[in-house]
Amino acid sequence: MHFQARGGFVAPGTEDFFLPTKLGFTSFESKAIYLAFFSVLLIGLFFYFSSRKAKVMPSKLQFAGESVYAFVRRDLGEDLIGHEFLRFVPFLFTLFTFVLVNNIFGIIPLIQFPTMSHVSFPYVLAIFSFVVFHYIGIRRQGLGKYLKGICFMPGVPVALYILLTPIELATYFVVRPVTLALRLFANMFAGHLLLLVFILGGDYLLHGGIVAKIASPFSFTFAIVMTFFELLVQVLQAYIFTLLTALYIAGALADEH
């Protein structure tokens, strides 16, 4: 509990995001790593059972699985990428479901930890997106044409290339992957920290004096309200991460940037 030796409240901090396991197989183990593996198992089982006995009139489980796939296929694939979208749907679908489940872990009882609040996970996912859309662009246009399209935007006065070329290079090769990762990480980190403040604060007040005990339900109420708000943020961040990846792929497929 977040109490000081003198009985004061200690606000949660970054140390609450580094939760080692008790298995002790390696020094690199953490709750986040096991949750990432667990999410893969959970996603696989869900879509296996939702599709193994597919019917024309779908069951509730089948309908749920098909709705998630249809959403990614239509809204994040076809609408953004265009007629070549089908070959990218598996990647986008995997990306969306993986981020979504690991985000939602932050409000699941007994788990209550968003995997993406560890910055290494968003960075790895951003690197995957980074490699995919650059590979697509290079394969589609050739390395020379692809880099030329990035460095020398058409219709721009030659003198401005001195300023724009470094900016474009930094945008495509540094800013995009970094901001893609940090946006997801920052939202999950801040949201989880905020929930910890209200939950632990309410628990601390509950063990205090009469006035503190009276105030504690308000803290718990805010925690409940913030949990629903955090759910919205978790879903939205999974959507935004996949949306931006799809937009980057669509840009790589275009003849000109």
Side-chain angles (χ1 to χ4, degrees), residues 95-106:
L95 193 63
F96 176 75
T97 53
F98 181 76
V99 175
L100 179 63
V101 171
N102 280 281
N103 284 354
I104 291 178
F105 279 162

Side-chain angles (χ1 to χ4, degrees), residues 7 9 200-220:
F9 176 69
L200 295 174
D203 183 66
Y204 171 73
L205 293 173
L206 193 61
H207 291 81
I210 296 177
V211 176
K213 283 182 169 61
I214 294 173
S216 64
F218 294 97
S219 183
F220 287 125

Side-chain angles (χ1 to χ4, degrees), residues 135-149:
Y135 172 78
I136 292 167
I138 293 171
R139 185 169 181 178
R140 176 66 175 263
Q141 303 176 37
L143 179 60
K145 185 179 179 182
Y146 182 69
L147 291 177
K148 182 181 178 181

Side-chain angles (χ1 to χ4, degrees), residues 25-118:
F25 294 124
T26 71
S27 59
F28 298 102
E29 289 178 46
S30 69
K31 184 175 181 178
I33 290 174
Y34 283 107
L35 286 178
F37 282 110
F38 178 61
S39 71
V40 174
L41 177 63
L42 200 63
I43 293 167
L45 288 175
F46 172 77
F47 285 104
Y48 170 75
F49 285 110
S50 66
S51 61
R52 67 171 183 162
K53 294 182 179 179
K55 300 178 181 178
V56 177
M57 293 296 292
S59 63
K60 293 181 180 179
L61 189 63
Q62 180 185 338
F63 177 77
E66 289 179 350
S67 296
V68 176
Y69 176 77
F71 168 72
V72 176
R73 186 182 189 276
R74 181 185 63 250
D75 293 4
L76 297 174
E78 186 174 10
D79 290 352
L80 296 177
I81 298 176
H83 66 281
E84 297 184 67
F85 78 97
L86 272 178
R87 59 194 177 112
F88 303 110
V89 169
F91 174 65
L92 296 176
F93 178 72
T94 302
L95 193 63
F96 176 75
T97 53
F98 181 76
V99 175
L100 179 63
V101 171
N102 280 281
N103 284 354
I104 291 178
F105 279 162
I107 60 170
I108 299 297
L110 302 180
I111 296 178
Q112 294 175 311
F113 188 85
T115 312
M116 298 301 156
S117 64
H118 273 215

Side-chain angles (χ1 to χ4, degrees), residues 98-172:
F98 181 76
V99 175
L100 179 63
V101 171
N102 280 281
N103 284 354
I104 291 178
F105 279 162
I107 60 170
I108 299 297
L110 302 180
I111 296 178
Q112 294 175 311
F113 188 85
T115 312
M116 298 301 156
S117 64
H118 273 215
V119 72
S120 55
F121 289 97
Y123 271 138
V124 169
L125 295 179
I127 289 171
F128 274 116
S129 298
F130 174 84
V131 171
V132 166
F133 78 76
H134 279 306
Y135 172 78
I136 292 167
I138 293 171
R139 185 169 181 178
R140 176 66 175 263
Q141 303 176 37
L143 179 60
K145 185 179 179 182
Y146 182 69
L147 291 177
K148 182 181 178 181
I150 293 174
C151 297
F152 305 106
M153 297 174 62
V156 176
V158 177
L160 288 180
Y161 286 141
I162 299 174
L163 177 64
L164 289 180
T165 297
I167 293 175
E168 288 296 298
L169 284 172
T171 298
Y172 275 81

